[in-house]
Amino acid sequence: MKSDLLRGRAWRAVAVFAASAVVVAGCAPSQSNTGTSGGDTGKVPDTIVVGSTLPLTGSESKTGGRYKQGYELAVDEVNAAGGIDLGGKKVKVELKLLDDTSDQAKAVNLAQRLITSDNVNAFLGTYSTSLVEAQSTVAEQNQIPYVNGGGAATSIYSKGYKWVFGTLATVENLATTEMQWIDQQQKAGTLPKPAKIAIVWENTSHGKDFRKGIQDFAQASSGNFQVSVDESFALDGKDFSAVLNKVKAANVDLFMVDAHLPDFITMHRQYLSSGMCNKVETYGARGTEADARKALGQEGVNYILSAVWWNKQLGNSGLNKTFVESFKKKYGTDPEWYQAVSYEAARALFTAMGNAKSVDKTKVRDALSSLEMDSILPGGKLSFPAAKGGQADYPFVVQQNLPDGTSPIIFPEDVATGKGAAPNPDCKG
């Protein structure tokens, strides 16, 4: 049953300092007053101090705000339960969260400061592959546990690092899962054979993984899928007309894009303005966000396909139910996958500390390496397999926006809550 995927038990405010610092204190004394929060002295600290940065301003600020919500909820829950049990003493968590302004250099410099000057016990990573890729190097060099929910590119986890862990499964797997649903539609006769594909990808390791997933699937399809357009673009673009004109001229069936939220909204607005319509439209993991509907209108996002790391429809019991209810109570709205993966990153770190019964960095790192915990993520378990370089590995769910405002899960079939439409009913002719 769907509810069986998600099981286990749940973990049971914010002050803004200056323009860039947010501290979730949980009624605990500040690190500077405890004298025992950081380091690896073997002593049980008065407070566990976890460092983090997120893009709370800049181009990724909307997504950064969502990740902040996930981190905060996990901290609230563990502190409401008395804190993390470190060998018989419950210790509350303080989250020292700084704004990296969506800037790679700042994400690195602030991490260095939190780790070496503020002496935090562990680190929750930032959002966006480019920022995580740079920031995780600081954690590895300083040998501090680094858990993130914001970096999915395999390049982050293929460097042989021992201190870096990620809750996002690979973008290559995202693309493959979308192609599996598309292949199913082709076999049912609703999509042409062969189907022509346009791959449009952000010029980052994240985009390259998406591209590889589609290319590999097409190459193994015995000619059923043909890549007709293969174009990259720079992040934070303002004019996508050149690449869209190439796609339009190629008369492709499948328009498959990998883009972060700001580029998705900008590109799709221009796509709609040009009168384009393809049998399948996807922007990777983007399309269901409230920001997208607000910017593009419901008609503008109808029938967009997306594959995501979590969807609240995965079950109505156990951890999933508790998470959704707790989130709605705190924030007054439903969570999206962004909050889910950041929440699980924090829970994984807290669970590892409890398993280690210590904040000793090596012990926590080892506990993360061997972790297997009940999770809200698809499959119901979260671990960081060494074979994947510490990157979580679990199935994606494919969803599709419908005109009634819903986005049901349409694949895999065993967790589907609705049926998808292909070809796009809005396309004329």
Side-chain angles (χ1 to χ4, degrees), residues 109-120 138 142 144:
N109 291 336
L110 289 177
Q112 188 71 31
R113 182 182 116 190
L114 286 165
I115 293 168
T116 61
S117 297
D118 295 343
N119 202 27
V120 297
V138 177
N142 286 279
I144 186 170

Side-chain angles (χ1 to χ4, degrees), residues 177-250:
T177 307
E178 288 191 331
M179 288 301 300
Q180 288 171 341
W181 180 81
I182 291 168
D183 180 61
Q184 195 177 73
Q185 306 315 300
Q186 188 186 64
K187 288 175 178 174
T190 64
L191 291 174
K193 186 185 294 185
K196 296 167 63 178
I197 306 173
I199 310 174
V200 180
W201 46 283
E202 65 175 44
N203 194 10
T204 65
S205 49
H206 187 285
K208 291 173 183 176
D209 282 355
F210 180 81
R211 176 191 188 217
K212 184 177 187 300
I214 297 171
Q215 286 180 326
D216 288 353
F217 195 96
Q219 288 170 3
S221 72
S222 301
N224 291 338
F225 297 97
Q226 298 174 358
V227 176
S228 300
V229 177
D230 182 4
E231 292 287 329
S232 66
F233 61 90
L235 285 172
D236 301 323
K238 299 296 183 287
D239 183 1
F240 295 101
S241 58
V243 67
L244 290 176
N245 286 337
K246 289 181 180 179
V247 173
K248 193 171 186 178

